[in-house]
Amino acid sequence: MYNEKVIEYAKNPRNQGGMDNPDAVGEISNPDCGDATTIFLKVENNIIVDVKFDTFGCAAAVATSSKLTEMVKGKSIDDALEITDEMVADELGGLPLKKMHCSNIGIDALREAIKEYKENN
């Protein structure tokens, strides 16, 4: 069902875990499937200098959240907002159609974190 890259990111997630004193936190859960993701951001001069995530969910949800953190680290807040769930899935070599909703959870949590950051800064 999953390609090797998705399996690799699910088994060995990058940037997983919490963060001390984040500048922003975004939390999203999907009541339909039970997946939940929290994104933690550290931002300096509008650049995401560190990002961590915690995901409770399937392999696709973990893999896409992990890949997303790699994609946004070092980007400006505005550039990070341009990343779509399709872009994340493409970076992982694709997801099964019935698992594409899992790629939304990380993006949605990121957008919530950025919204919080913008409101507070």
Side-chain angles (χ1 to χ4, degrees), residues 11-47:
K11 286 184 176 180
N12 300 296
R14 285 71 162 172
N15 303 307
Q16 187 176 34
M19 178 185 289
D20 292 333
N21 302 312
D23 293 314
V25 178
E27 297 178 89
I28 293 290
S29 61
N30 183 328
D32 294 333
C33 67
D35 291 353
T37 294
T38 304
I39 296 278
F40 305 90
L41 297 178
K42 192 67 91 169
V43 182
E44 293 176 10
N45 299 318
N46 249 12
I47 303 294

Side-chain angles (χ1 to χ4, degrees), residues 2 10 16 33-37 54-63 99 102 105:
Y2 296 118
Q16 187 176 34
C33 67
D35 291 353
T37 294
D54 274 327
T55 293
F56 174 81
C58 67
V62 172
K99 289 296 187 174
C102 301
I105 198 161

Side-chain angles (χ1 to χ4, degrees), residues 19 21-26 39-43 48-52 72 77 109-110 112-115 117:
M19 178 185 289
N21 302 312
D23 293 314
V25 178
I39 296 278
F40 305 90
L41 297 178
K42 192 67 91 169
V43 182
I48 299 170
V49 295
D50 198 11
V51 55
K52 302 283 187 196
V72 301
I77 291 290
L110 173 68
E112 284 295 313
I114 290 172
K115 179 181 172 188
Y117 177 77

Side-chain angles (χ1 to χ4, degrees), residues 60-96:
V62 172
T64 56
S65 295
S66 176
K67 185 61 175 171
L68 176 64
T69 63
E70 291 183 329
M71 293 172 70
V72 301
K73 197 171 192 177
K75 289 199 180 304
S76 72
I77 291 290
D78 291 333
D79 287 344
L81 281 172
E82 305 262 332
I83 296 173
T84 66
D85 54 330
E86 291 90 1
M87 293 166 72
V88 177
D90 287 348
E91 285 288 319
L92 288 170
L95 290 173

